[in-house]
Amino acid sequence: MRADEIMTSPVVTISPDTPASRIAKLLLENHISAVPVVDAAGAPVGVVSEGDLLRRDDKDRAARRAWWLEMLAEGEPLSREYEAQLRTKDQLAREIMSAPVVTCTEETDVAELAHLFSSYRIKRVPVLRDGRIVGIVSRADLLRAFKEEAEHEEEKPTPLHASDALQS
């Protein structure tokens, strides 16, 4: 089996300038867990997953600690510069995406896809044609392919051997 036989298509994509709030909305609306980031030519430059949206960076940790800092300040106002640093902004895809992107072609065999998932510890691989995304293969797609292949093997009749015929 090949990537083009198991991929999901069409693929929802975003630009590097898409804000995190819009990305979250797209993931929820489309019941997907990640979205490829593409440049103006449609070439993949990154992927933003649910994990990327939920991952907390040092600024987020600092914001959670702000309450105790205010308590220690004992009523004194915190500096504006420090407060500005603690505020989180709606980050853009380019700031939170995972890159570079591991990709495959439509002809990539499922065994090679399994190797990519395992080697790179990734959950999805965009499928490219002429440098543009035409589909995406997830781990679930790969599992379905393996299941279908196993079911197909079970349906094949067992060949009779000469020794089997003699025992009858």
Side-chain angles (χ1 to χ4, degrees), residues 85-162:
Q85 178 186 357
L86 293 179
R87 289 196 183 99
T88 58
K89 60 182 167 97
D90 199 10
Q91 293 180 298
L92 302 178
R94 74 174 75 252
E95 298 170 309
I96 58 176
M97 69 185 187
S98 298
V101 185
V102 175
T103 63
C104 70
T105 66
E106 294 168 289
E107 295 82 22
T108 304
D109 184 78
V110 293
E112 176 62 20
L113 286 167
H115 176 73
L116 292 174
F117 287 133
S118 175
S119 297
Y120 292 97
R121 298 180 184 196
I122 54 177
K123 298 178 181 177
R124 63 206 53 84
V125 176
V127 181
L128 304 184
R129 180 189 310 139
D130 299 324
R132 297 181 61 135
I133 297 177
V134 294
I136 194 161
V137 176
S138 69
R139 292 185 303 182
D141 295 325
L142 197 59
L143 287 175
R144 275 191 290 279
F146 288 145
K147 177 182 177 255
E148 288 173 18
E149 205 169 80
E151 288 172 350
H152 181 71
E153 287 297 318
E154 288 174 5
E155 292 173 1
K156 287 183 181 178
T158 307
L160 286 177
H161 297 289

Side-chain angles (χ1 to χ4, degrees), residues 45-57:
V45 295
V47 173
V48 177
S49 69
E50 293 167 327
D52 295 322
L53 291 173
L54 298 173
R55 186 172 297 135
R56 300 195 196 292
D57 62 15

Side-chain angles (χ1 to χ4, degrees), residues 160-168:
L160 286 177
H161 297 289
S163 60
D164 294 337
L166 294 174
Q167 293 176 357
S168 308

Side-chain angles (χ1 to χ4, degrees), residues 73 76-87:
E76 295 294 318
L78 297 172
S79 75
R80 285 188 183 162
E81 294 83 14
Y82 185 73
E83 283 183 319
Q85 178 186 357
L86 293 179
R87 289 196 183 99

